[in-house]
Amino acid sequence: DIQMTQSPSSLSASVGDRVTITCRASQNISTFLNWYQQKAGKAPKLLIYAASKSQNGVPSRFSGSGSGTDFTLTVSTLQPEDFATYCCQQSYTTPFTFGPGTTVDFK
Amino acid sequence: QVSLKESGPVLVTPTETLTLTCSVSGLSLSNARTGVSWIRQAPGKALEWIGHIFSNDEKSYSTSLKTRLTISKDTSKSQVVLIMTNMDPVDTATYYCARTQIYCSGRSCQNWFDPWGQGTLVTVSS
């Protein structure tokens, strides 16, 4: 199975900050990488698919980049509603696997 | 608008078999570029993909769970069913179903989960 790791596991930030989260795959997955946002007690929500394509309706402050084994999710200007957990997921091959998540909380 | 909703027991006894149903609306399960996945999340833990089924009845399962799993669909009822045998307390989790979207370019196909159901918490305890 492909292992996914994320860093950091958590971070504290303020409204207006630029936030970057990294996801790493245990092998080359090309651009088969998706990002989700999950708020407490809620189902995950798709933000980015195919590493860099924004899902319809997702604010433009969210962007994804990377290919191969290293990927990045960036929130350009953090908004109050962005405090949540973010996780990556590879779809290169089954079994699909998720990263452990990165929690963004208030500084 | 596509929506999914999970239903099933909230409490299961160890060794019992779990049956969960995902009811899908706004989407036909015969759509060629659509599947439904099951994903779970133990309390405070990461998301774990369980398996999926596509319109052509192609299925795939988690490596660690596959001996215990069956996923099936009833296209006429717009439902996908997850059966997991020999439940254990470590299987306590919120179980989600999600549409699996597919985009193929050449021989390469991307998959992603959107939207998700609200999830259903299943507790395994005697």
Side-chain angles (χ1 to χ4, degrees), chain A residues 1 31-32 34 36 38 42-44 46 49-50 55 87 89 91 94-96 98 100, chain B residues 39 41 46-49 52 60-63 96 108-114 116-117:
Chain A
D1 298 3
T31 59
F32 289 70
N34 307 314
Y36 301 87
Q38 187 176 25
K42 300 294 186 181
L46 176 71
Y49 63 95
Q55 173 65 340
C87 69
Q89 173 248 327
S91 66
T94 56
F96 299 145
F98 290 87
Chain B
I39 298 148
Q41 187 171 37
L47 295 162
E48 178 185 16
W49 180 79
H52 67 215
S60 185
Y61 298 120
S62 158
T63 303
Y96 297 98
S108 169
C109 292
Q110 297 264 7
N111 296 262
W112 55 90
F113 308 128
D114 179 67
W116 296 55

Side-chain angles (χ1 to χ4, degrees), chain B residues 24-89:
Chain B
V24 181
S25 60
L27 174 71
S28 171
L29 295 179
S30 61
N31 185 314
R33 300 212 179 277
T34 293
V36 172
S37 288
W38 287 96
I39 298 148
R40 71 179 181 178
Q41 187 171 37
K45 302 294 186 181
L47 295 162
E48 178 185 16
W49 180 79
I50 296 171
H52 67 215
I53 187 167
F54 287 124
S55 59
N56 60 358
D57 219 37
E58 174 195 338
K59 303 165 194 175
S60 185
Y61 298 120
S62 158
T63 303
S64 61
L65 297 172
K66 62 183 176 182
T67 60
R68 302 168 51 204
L69 295 175
T70 303
I71 297 176
S72 62
K73 63 180 174 70
D74 185 328
T75 301
S76 64
K77 293 183 178 179
S78 292
Q79 291 180 336
V80 174
V81 175
L82 169 71
I83 297 173
M84 183 179 296
T85 62
N86 194 26
M87 292 292 285
D88 184 272

Side-chain angles (χ1 to χ4, degrees), chain A residues 29-61:
Chain A
I29 59 170
S30 183
T31 59
F32 289 70
L33 191 284
N34 307 314
W35 288 99
Y36 301 87
Q37 176 194 65
Q38 187 176 25
K39 297 184 179 179
K42 300 294 186 181
K45 171 188 170 185
L46 176 71
L47 296 176
I48 303 288
Y49 63 95
S52 62
K53 301 183 189 305
S54 293
Q55 173 65 340
N56 289 342
V58 172
S60 58
R61 62 183 180 273

Side-chain angles (χ1 to χ4, degrees), chain B residues 95-111:
Chain B
Y95 286 75
Y96 297 98
C97 59
R99 177 178 64 171
T100 305
Q101 287 202 271
I102 308 161
Y103 173 76
C104 296
S105 176
R107 294 174 58 186
S108 169
C109 292
Q110 297 264 7
N111 296 262

